[in-house]
């Protein structure tokens, strides 16, 4: 049901990626030997237990983390650093710039791009903010927003940009069921309309199946690929259906029961 | 507890429509109270020591202050000093920004700046005297050099450590939208480090005064239009201690005005409004 | 500084000692004498500086042409520059008093370790040298540093204020005009000695000096300045009341005119360009090792223009 | 980009086991390079001006430095100064902490402290001279008073604005676990504001030196065991400019050691380790 | 199935609570006229759309916000300020003290309470951290943790305290399905064991029903009570059951469809 470019070429590629963080006791491995390719218009969802390296992979693709080994390529070129072609929605609540109002925050990337007139920028920002339900607080500063409102503003800021690639790190985690499903739909609609490529992190398996055209499952410590599966044929119409539920359960089982050795004992 | 979790608790104090007015009023009232208290302590201490030639009382100083205002051009002397001070201050702060921005772009410049700061910051202004004389001669240029020395290093240090403390996420957001170089500094680092920068500006302001008063005596004045430092020096030489204190009171008053009005307004419309500082 | 003739920059310090400079400034005497020498537009600039080292730095860096400071800083500079700085003229003969608020102190022998003597700069100022000479005289050769542990550095006004207040550790001050006269107005304060007693006659404590290079490049301006100082000194001696008024006007001083006049009229004070007892300092400094350069006579470190006078 | 998002990118530089050593090595190398460069610039500038009495060259200064070390007790003079400096520094910093902690507990004390800071911070030390003499006499006490004046206000200001910038959530956590009063200050505000406090300590360190050098002339010396300020003053008066510069070089060297080793270590084991500063 | 004290007395009570925040244009109302009572051992869940004032109510109960009108009483006494009898898990990721390691963070409240020996403190902290799956990072500093790991550490810090009242603001939002359900079970177990009283905020209706003995539903702008319903009879056994699903849907409908007038248009 999703409109996909039949001859989609690879937009970015993560090739045997290993990520280390330095620590007092030497480097700590966060991600090991993870590979995937994402074609234009595809929506890849990273799924895995907390701390398995999803955010790290996302940051590496964004150009913030240099691989300890392996490579990340955009359109065949190695990623050299961050850039506005890959817009990130971070997991953190403090990603809005505190010295800008909500509206200014959303206008910020458009202003920087400098392709639109002031009026157009304003109009786009306001309409994006209306979509995420923040019309009431356009001129408020971020520190007066609730957690969910901050995340929504950050989502709006990413969505106005027309970036080719969006990297979203648990963008809907702080949202109520209603807003969440509304924004999921909006995101899908926009994806079809504009055709951006998406790398998405979530903890909700259902959300992953609905949003993603493909799931990439990771095991923890360090993050390694378990498997990758296509979910392109699932869409909102399947909500509550048997087969979505089955797939959900399956994914859950792959993620959490097949690697007892690698998983840390959660209880005791 | 009311005092520390202050911001939040104030939030919903019963006074609704007038809470801003009330707070302003009360802040002013408190400030005046503090000033009256300090004046009283001063008066008492001076009367107790009973040594007007070393330590004139508040009232004597006030009298001398008014007299100096009316008859001795204290105001124009202050203006002379203030205009040099502002010039030096602006040059130093602009220079520090340029320097620190470069330091953000290259590790080597950063190391250079840090080394320069830790070398020059502890050096007293007199250290510069001969070199300043040699290269810049007498007069305003040398005075400015000394002022810039007093202000540049502490301010650059404040800015540098402010930049270092910018939250990771905000840094990443700036990078993500393609900012680099000066644009990155201006649009991300400076606003994000504004609390530190404002603190640096306050310190710089204070040390600019400390230095100017002392330096005016050395680099002097080529004619009669001396500044506040010169006013103080002259009266000290004629043993008019009350006028010396009047000159110092002028420094204090200018400081209170700048701090209490200028800086406070800037803070209110920036860092406090943005929730970056209580 | 290879200035063309016609510019002279003079440093000035605070106090009635510098009265000849005030008079020159007030009466445009340099311009007058320059014209006589055929220099029509001479430009005179005045710089208010304080402290011997600032003045020396200004002179060496070419920021000023004529420095005015004590014999101590001058001789040090003369020594360090291998004689390329020389005295143009003395400013005036004036005594320096050692004043005290301790009634028990009559001579230097009465100083106890707790009695602090204030000096503008311990060790090197004129006052410090006078105290050392006095100590040598009192305690014998080689004992010139005997009172060093009693001395503290304090600017004249602060020292005078401390002395007058009587509530600090400062009990004595080797002072200067007008501070010593102001202090002596207080009955609690008395004089221990005058520099005239120590050196045996009138002393010129403060001098105008310039670099030989400047003098060589600006002979006419130099001459005009020297003539101006000479005329100013003579005028002051002849017009003491008017001189006091000049001082108050130029300096915008708040001092009593009568007090200023009394300073000028004091029998010990004499405005003259002729150095008095400068050689005693040069000799003393050389003997005690403070300078390495030996002067054979006072003429070694003064310009020729003075050599006709009977200086010392 | 490598330089600004530095911390993260360094993260995974190819050198694995030796990256710390490498970095340390390279930082040292860079520092030495900077110092050599500065010395060369100095030497060149001095040779070009050719005025050894006003501006001795690096080599002349180095020679004078060694001579002063060997023959003129420069080391013991430095120690004399350093011990007074440390005393004053510690007193001022302890005092500032007490004051600022009280300010956290009461709005009135806060206003009082802020007013005192903006009044006293711009006052030059000479303003304190007569009063210090009157109340504390000559000698170390007065020296300490002047030092404390130089250090207390800027440091208190740094601490105060550091406290004001502590993130709301950390504040609330402290309150939540029942902390209040001094415990709250010590366990939450001070560590959370440590970047600002360290900055304040660096500034305070620099200004303590600036002031000490100047103040030793007045208060320090009644005898022969003068400190570094006295050493500088004496040589300046005798126009031994190379020795003056040697004395200043001592200040610089001590500054570099304290900044480059002491403060850097403290920063490394605290704010940098905690991710509060890059 | 839940062990509840049959004669439970009211532990805390929110009485016609109204909360305002100051703003440049005068006070902004966040919560209006909300009342509820929570008895000992009860677990009240606040549910409502993003920005409706859940966190504000929680902070008011914790003693951080003073009511504009109305009152909050603990054991009949008006709340005067924060205190260790009401431990909060905040919504924000930066609630760990950055200058303490994970272990020190968890030990912190125990150290302050001072009732246990050093060894006991260490033991309790370590066991709590093991429970939340952080045994691997005991000595790491918070800034090296992933978002979910930070939240787990904060949960551990709250759970070690033996506080009478726990106030938890979306504690599980950043966790994967497995960890989340594990921690839900742990929380319930602990509640039965110790019998603490809980005020809990979540966006997951299912979680609300499972965790809570009562749900308090709020409408937004400002937050007002819609209704309150008991879910004491639901437990883990009902997971996936028809009646839980029905209740979920019902709650969803109450929350999101019954107040179209008050809700802001999310789309357009
Ligand atoms: N700055 C850092 N320094 C050191 N280690 C880090 C850093 N950031 C993350 N890590 C470690 O890397 C691993 C992966 O972290 P990451 O944030 O990528 O996890 P995640 O999959 O996003 O988890 P979550 O779902 O909880 O957000 C974790 O073990 C974490 O401790
Ligand atoms: N510090 C503040 N200053 C001003 N307004 C605030 C402040 N904090 C919250 N608000 C406002 O109060 C309202 C309620 O915020 P609150 O954080 O309680 O919402 P919430 O229900 O927790 O939302 P979420 O589910 O998104 O976390 C929001 O409209 C918000 O804008
Ligand atoms: Mg993450
Ligand atoms: Mg919330």
């Amino acid at each position: 049901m999703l409109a996909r470019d039949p001859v989609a070429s690879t937009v970015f590629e993560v090739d045997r990626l290993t990520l280390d963080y330095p620590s007092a006791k030497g480097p700590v491995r966060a991600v090991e030997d993870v590979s995937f390719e994402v074609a234009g218009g595809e929506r890849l969802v990273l799924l895995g237990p907390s701390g398995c390296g999803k955010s790290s992979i996302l940051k590496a693709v964004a150009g913030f983390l240099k691989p300890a080994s392996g490579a990340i390529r955009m359109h065949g070129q190695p990623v050299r650093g961050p850039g506005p072609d890959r817009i990130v929605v971070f997991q953190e609540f403090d990603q809005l710039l505190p010295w800008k109002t909500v509206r200014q925050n959303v206008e910020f990337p458009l202003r920087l791009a400098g392709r639109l007139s002031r009026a157009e920028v304003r109009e786009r920002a306001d309409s994006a903010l209306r979509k995420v339900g923040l019309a009431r607080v356009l001129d408020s500063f971020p520190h007066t927003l609730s957690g969910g409102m901050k995340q929504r503003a950050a989502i709006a800021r990413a969505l106005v940009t027309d970036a080719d690639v969006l990297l979203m790190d648990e963008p809907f985690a702080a949202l109520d069921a209603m807003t969440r499903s509304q924004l999921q739909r909006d995101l899908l609609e926009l994806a079809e309309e504009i055709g951006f490529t998406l790398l998405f992190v979530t903890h909700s398996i259902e959300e992953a199946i609905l949003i993603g055209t493909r799931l990439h499952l990771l095991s923890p410590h360090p993050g390694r690929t378990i498997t990758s599966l296509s979910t392109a044929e699932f869409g909102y119409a399947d909500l509550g259906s048997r087969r979505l539920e089955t797939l959900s359960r399956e994914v859950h089982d792959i993620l959490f029961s097949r690697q007892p050795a690698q998983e840390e004992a959660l209880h005791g | 507890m009311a005092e520390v979790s202050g911001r939040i608790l104030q939030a919903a104090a019963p006074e609704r429509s007038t809470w801003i007015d009330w707070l302003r009023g009360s802040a002013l009232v408190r400030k005046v109270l503090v000033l009256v208290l300090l004046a009283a302590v001063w008066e008492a201490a001076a009367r107790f020591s009973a040594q007007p030639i070393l330590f004139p009382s508040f009232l004597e100083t006030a009298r001398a202050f008014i007299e100096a205002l009316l008859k001795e051009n204290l105001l124009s002397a202050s203006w002379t000093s203030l205009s040099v001070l502002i010039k030096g201050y602006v040059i130093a702060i602009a220079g520090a920004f340029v320097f620190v921005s470069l330091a953000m772009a290259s590790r080597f410049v950063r190391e250079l700046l840090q080394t320069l700061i830790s070398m020059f910051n502890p050096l007293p202004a007199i250290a510069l005297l001969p070199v300043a004389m040699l290269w810049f001669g007498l007069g305003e240029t040398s005075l400015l050099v000394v002022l810039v020395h007093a202000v540049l290093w502490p301010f650059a240090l404040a800015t540098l450590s402010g930049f270092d403390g910018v939250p990771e996420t905000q840094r990443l957001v700036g990078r993500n939208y393609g900012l680099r170089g000066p644009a990155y500094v201006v649009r991300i680092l400076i606003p994000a480090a504004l609390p530190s920068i404002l603190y640096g500006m306050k310190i710089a302001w204070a040390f600019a005064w400390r230095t100017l008063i002392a330096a005016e005596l050395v680099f002097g004045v080529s004619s009669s239009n001396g500044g506040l430092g010169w006013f103080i020096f002259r009266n000290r030489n004629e043993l008019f201690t009350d006028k010396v204190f009047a000159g110092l009171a002028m420094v204090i008053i200018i400081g209170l005005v700048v701090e209490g009005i200028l800086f406070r307004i800037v803070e209110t419309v920036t860092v406090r409004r943005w929730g970056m500082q209580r | 500084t290879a200035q063309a003739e016609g510019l002279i920059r003079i440093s000035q310090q605070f106090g009635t000692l510098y009265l000849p400079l005030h008079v020159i400034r007030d009466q445009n005497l340099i311009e007058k004498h320059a014209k006589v020498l055929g220099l029509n537009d001479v430009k005179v600039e005045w710089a208010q500086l304080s402290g011997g080292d600032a003045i020396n730095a200004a002179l060496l860096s070419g920021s000023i042409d004529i420095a005015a400071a004590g014999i101590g800083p001058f001789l040090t500079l003369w020594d360090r520059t291998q004689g390329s700085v020389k005295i143009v003229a003395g400013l005036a003969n004036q005594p320096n008093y050692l004043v005290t608020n301790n009634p028990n102190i009559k001579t230097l022998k009465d100083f106890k370790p707790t009695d602090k003597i204030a000096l503008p700069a311990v060790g090197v100022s004129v006052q410090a040298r006078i105290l050392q000479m006095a100590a040598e005289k009192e305690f014998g050769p080689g004992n010139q540093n005997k009172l060093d542990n009693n001395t503290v550095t304090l600017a004249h006004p602060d020292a005078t204020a401390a002395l007058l207040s009587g509530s600090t550790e400062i009990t004595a001050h080797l002072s200067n005009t007008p501070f010593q006269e102001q202090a002596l107005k207080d009955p609690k304060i008395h004089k221990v000695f005058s520099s005239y007693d120590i050196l045996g006659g009138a002393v010129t404590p403060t001098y105008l000096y310039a670099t030989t290079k400047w003098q060589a490049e600006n002979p006419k301006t130099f001459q005009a300045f020297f003539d101006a100082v000479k005329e100013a000194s003579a005028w002051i001696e002849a017009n003491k009341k008017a001189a006091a008024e000049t001082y108050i006007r130029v300096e915008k001083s708040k001092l009593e005119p009568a007090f200023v006049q009394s300073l000028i009229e004091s029998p010990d004070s004499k405005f003259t360009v002729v150095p008095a007892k400068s050689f005693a300092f040069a000799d003393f400094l050389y003997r005690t090792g403070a300078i390495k350069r030996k002067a054979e006579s006072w003429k070694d470190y003064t310009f020729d223009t003075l050599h006709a006078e009977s200086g010392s």
Side-chain angles (χ1 to χ4, degrees), chain A, chain B, chain C:
Chain A
M1 61 140 284
L2 293 165
R4 284 183 58 202
D5 187 351
V7 287
S9 63
T10 302
V11 169
F12 67 89
E13 183 189 350
V14 168
D15 183 12
R16 306 187 63 96
L17 177 70
T18 298
L19 296 172
D20 286 350
Y21 285 100
S23 86
K25 300 176 229 112
V28 169
R29 183 135 304 176
V31 172
E32 191 167 74
D33 199 21
V34 168
S35 304
F36 53 79
E37 277 182 33
V38 186
E42 241 193 317
R43 299 187 295 278
L44 185 81
V45 179
L46 295 178
L47 255 177
S50 164
C52 75
K54 306 177 294 296
S55 300
S56 304
I57 295 175
L58 204 104
K59 281 182 183 165
V61 173
F64 295 124
L65 271 173
K66 204 158 81 183
S69 74
I72 300 165
R73 282 182 284 272
M74 278 281 294
H75 301 295
Q77 297 298 314
V79 162
R80 286 249 159 59
D85 54 335
R86 284 150 291 146
I87 291 298
V88 186
V89 176
F90 293 91
Q91 192 178 1
E92 282 80 13
F93 288 130
D94 63 346
Q95 67 189 297
L96 297 180
L97 304 177
W99 57 91
K100 290 180 182 290
T101 62
V102 169
R103 178 192 263 147
Q104 286 165 346
N105 260 290
V106 176
E107 287 178 352
F108 181 60
L110 297 176
R111 286 264 161 91
L112 286 185
R115 279 191 299 268
L116 299 174
S117 74
R118 286 189 139 246
E120 281 169 313
V121 164
R122 156 107 0 154
E123 213 222 298
R124 260 177 101 152
D126 285 6
S127 112
L129 282 166
R130 247 179 283 123
K131 270 197 182 155
V132 298
L134 292 179
R136 206 173 47 91
V137 291
L138 290 180
D139 294 317
S140 299
F141 284 96
H143 74 107
T144 66
L145 302 186
S146 78
M149 290 160 85
K150 284 179 196 164
Q151 284 313 83
R152 284 186 270 156
I155 294 165
R157 183 173 65 180
L159 292 182
V160 292
T161 55
D162 287 347
D164 283 352
V165 177
L166 277 183
L167 310 171
M168 302 178 98
D169 199 348
E170 306 191 29
F172 304 147
L175 301 181
D176 58 278
M178 172 80 169
T179 313
R180 187 167 189 155
S181 75
Q182 186 60 58
L183 288 182
Q184 286 169 356
R185 276 168 221 257
D186 287 351
L187 185 69
L188 287 178
E189 227 169 71
L190 216 60
E192 277 186 71
E193 203 181 304
I194 310 179
F196 55 71
T197 307
L198 182 67
L199 183 61
F200 193 93
V201 175
T202 180
H203 280 309
S204 159
I205 297 172
E206 196 188 87
E207 182 171 272
I209 298 173
L210 288 176
I211 294 274
T213 56
R214 197 141 52 84
L215 309 191
H216 196 89
L217 310 192
L218 297 165
S219 71
H221 316 315
R224 288 202 199 86
T225 303
I226 303 176
T227 187
S228 186
L229 41 104
S230 171
T231 55
E233 65 276 16
F234 287 87
Y236 250 88
D238 301 296
L239 204 56
S241 77
R242 188 89 263 155
R243 65 183 199 129
L244 190 144
E245 234 165 74
T246 317
L247 182 61
S248 277
R249 188 138 314 143
E250 221 169 278
V251 169
H252 187 278
D253 289 346
I254 299 176
L255 271 178
F256 300 114
S257 17
R258 281 194 11 197
Q259 273 80 14
Q262 286 183 3
E263 247 224 295
E264 220 170 319
L266 268 167
H267 208 176
Chain B
M1 127 248 151
E3 50 295 354
V4 178
S5 53
R7 188 173 60 166
I8 277 200
L9 277 177
Q10 259 173 44
E15 305 81 342
R16 296 273 160 80
S17 63
T18 57
W19 73 271
I20 280 187
D21 313 74
W22 175 82
L23 200 74
R24 274 206 196 125
S26 100
L28 199 71
V29 167
R30 246 179 298 126
K31 187 118 203 155
V32 169
L33 212 79
V34 164
L35 288 174
V36 168
L37 186 83
L38 288 174
V41 169
W42 174 2
E43 184 73 26
R47 294 208 175 184
F48 176 75
S49 348
Q51 290 290 358
I53 199 166
L54 281 177
F55 186 27
S57 76
F58 172 73
L59 290 178
E60 284 162 341
T61 304
R63 204 175 307 121
F65 184 79
I66 290 167
E67 207 183 292
L69 270 187
L70 298 178
K71 297 198 202 137
E72 293 176 56
N73 282 327
L74 178 57
L75 222 53
S76 90
S78 308
W79 176 244
T80 306
S81 291
L82 199 59
S83 65
V84 175
L85 186 102
I86 290 173
K87 228 182 276 178
Y89 189 74
V90 169
I91 293 172
I93 283 184
F97 271 127
V98 170
F99 217 157
V100 173
S101 305
L102 290 177
M104 286 287 115
S106 134
R107 285 197 145 231
F108 181 78
V109 179
R110 195 189 166 84
E111 196 71 42
L112 180 70
L113 179 60
Q114 270 172 343
T115 309
L116 284 175
I117 289 174
S118 44
M119 285 173 71
F120 284 111
N121 214 0
L123 283 191
I126 54 140
L128 287 187
L129 172 72
V131 181
M133 283 273 194
L134 186 59
W135 289 342
F136 308 104
L138 284 172
E140 204 177 281
T141 317
S142 279
L143 211 53
L144 286 179
V145 169
V146 173
L147 261 185
V148 167
H149 160 77
V151 170
L152 179 67
W153 312 116
F155 182 71
L157 188 59
T159 309
L160 207 58
S161 66
F163 283 5
D164 280 352
V166 172
E168 189 73 15
T169 316
Q170 286 165 29
R171 220 187 273 277
L172 298 189
V173 166
R175 289 283 158 198
N176 189 222
Y177 290 121
L179 290 174
R180 41 179 69 213
Y184 177 67
V185 172
V186 170
R187 285 169 174 278
I188 302 289
L189 294 183
I190 291 180
L194 206 60
S196 299
I197 292 175
L198 281 175
Y199 165 67
M201 292 177 90
K202 285 189 206 169
I203 286 294
W205 171 258
F207 285 108
W209 269 117
R210 285 196 190 184
T211 309
L212 184 70
I213 297 294
E216 269 190 12
L217 308 184
V218 174
F219 289 103
V221 252
S222 21
S223 60
S224 50
N225 61 347
L228 208 44
W230 184 244
F231 175 89
I232 291 171
F233 181 66
R234 211 180 57 208
N235 282 299
R236 194 165 70 121
N237 265 310
E238 299 195 343
L239 292 181
F240 294 125
T241 315
D242 51 348
K243 288 206 186 130
V244 172
F245 273 62
L248 294 171
M250 194 69 188
V251 174
I252 289 182
I253 289 170
I254 295 174
L256 284 177
V257 168
V258 167
E259 170 86 34
I261 298 185
L262 214 78
F263 279 118
R264 214 168 257 211
I265 287 177
V266 170
E267 279 181 2
T268 310
V269 303
T270 60
V271 286
R272 281 181 214 287
R273 185 150 158 254
W274 304 338
M276 288 163 79
Q277 199 137 23
R278 292 219 305 157
Chain C
T1 48
Q3 293 285 349
E5 287 247 34
L7 173 67
I8 181 166
R9 293 161 304 173
I10 305 161
S11 86
Q12 196 172 354
Q13 287 199 71
F14 215 83
T16 49
L17 196 57
Y18 300 88
L19 190 50
L21 297 180
H22 294 110
V23 171
I24 288 174
R25 192 171 176 178
D26 194 45
Q27 302 183 5
N28 298 322
L29 292 181
I30 297 176
E31 289 87 339
K32 180 179 144 193
H33 286 281
K35 217 165 255 158
V36 174
L37 294 167
L39 263 181
N40 274 326
D41 40 30
V42 62
K43 197 156 164 274
V44 185
E45 288 176 6
W46 299 90
Q48 295 270 200
L49 289 176
S50 73
D53 49 54
I55 290 169
N56 280 346
L59 186 72
L60 286 175
S61 66
S63 304
I64 55 172
D65 304 315
I66 304 286
I71 182 78
F74 164 73
L75 285 171
T76 309
L77 186 63
W78 173 74
D79 179 45
R80 295 285 173 272
T81 57
Q82 322 305 328
S84 57
V85 175
K86 286 186 174 177
I87 287 176
V88 181
L91 270 172
N93 299 343
Q94 274 189 336
N96 294 97
Y97 301 153
L98 178 66
V99 289
T100 177
N101 59 13
N102 183 343
N104 300 323
I105 295 177
K106 302 280 189 287
T107 71
L108 285 187
K109 291 205 169 91
D110 301 329
F111 277 95
K112 298 201 181 57
T114 48
D115 292 314
K116 298 296 179 200
I117 307 168
L119 303 169
V122 170
V124 292
S125 57
V126 187
Q127 284 80 1
R129 300 303 183 197
I130 292 172
L131 187 69
Q132 287 173 350
M133 289 165 148
E136 191 184 42
K137 207 173 150 195
E138 186 92 27
F139 304 111
N143 285 324
Q144 71 271 11
N145 292 327
K146 194 156 168 125
L147 287 170
D148 275 9
N149 284 347
N150 291 69
T151 58
V152 294
T153 299
L154 211 54
H156 287 308
D158 298 321
T160 308
L163 201 66
L164 285 170
S165 80
S167 45
T168 69
E169 293 145 292
I170 308 285
T171 53
H173 177 205
L174 222 174
S175 189
N176 198 1
T177 298
F179 298 102
Q180 52 202 12
E181 284 80 6
Q182 267 171 305
L184 284 171
K185 281 199 280 188
D186 190 315
K188 289 196 295 291
I189 292 176
H190 70 276
K191 180 166 76 175
V192 180
F193 65 67
S194 156
S195 57
Y196 287 12
D197 309 336
I198 306 296
L199 287 137
V203 179
T204 313
T206 312
Y207 293 87
L208 297 164
Y209 50 93
T211 61
T212 50
K213 181 161 170 276
W214 182 77
Q215 187 266 347
E217 283 163 2
N218 299 272
K220 284 186 182 167
T221 318
F222 175 86
Q223 189 63 45
F225 175 69
F226 180 73
D227 295 344
V229 183
K230 229 171 147 173
E231 180 180 340
S233 305
W235 182 83
I236 295 165
E237 285 300 317
N239 304 280
K240 292 193 170 164
K241 186 162 192 297
E245 282 160 7
T246 300
Y247 177 79
I248 287 176
R249 187 171 62 251
V250 174
E251 204 59 274
K252 297 202 188 79
S253 172
K254 296 287 168 308
L255 294 176
E256 295 281 316
F259 175 67
V260 176
Q261 197 179 333
S262 76
L263 296 176
I264 300 170
E265 284 172 350
S266 151
D268 276 347
S269 153
K270 180 168 178 234
F271 285 88
T272 167
V273 295
V274 184
K277 295 284 183 303
S278 70
F279 187 68
F281 284 94
D283 182 53
F284 177 77
L285 293 187
Y286 178 73
R287 273 197 295 114
T288 54
I291 60 176
K292 305 272 176 301
R293 195 177 167 85
K294 184 167 169 56
E296 297 301 339
S297 93
W298 66 278
K299 292 183 181 169
D300 283 6
Y301 48 80
T302 50
F303 283 111
D304 306 346
T305 35
L306 274 177
H307 292 179
E309 314 279 349
S310 57
S312 61

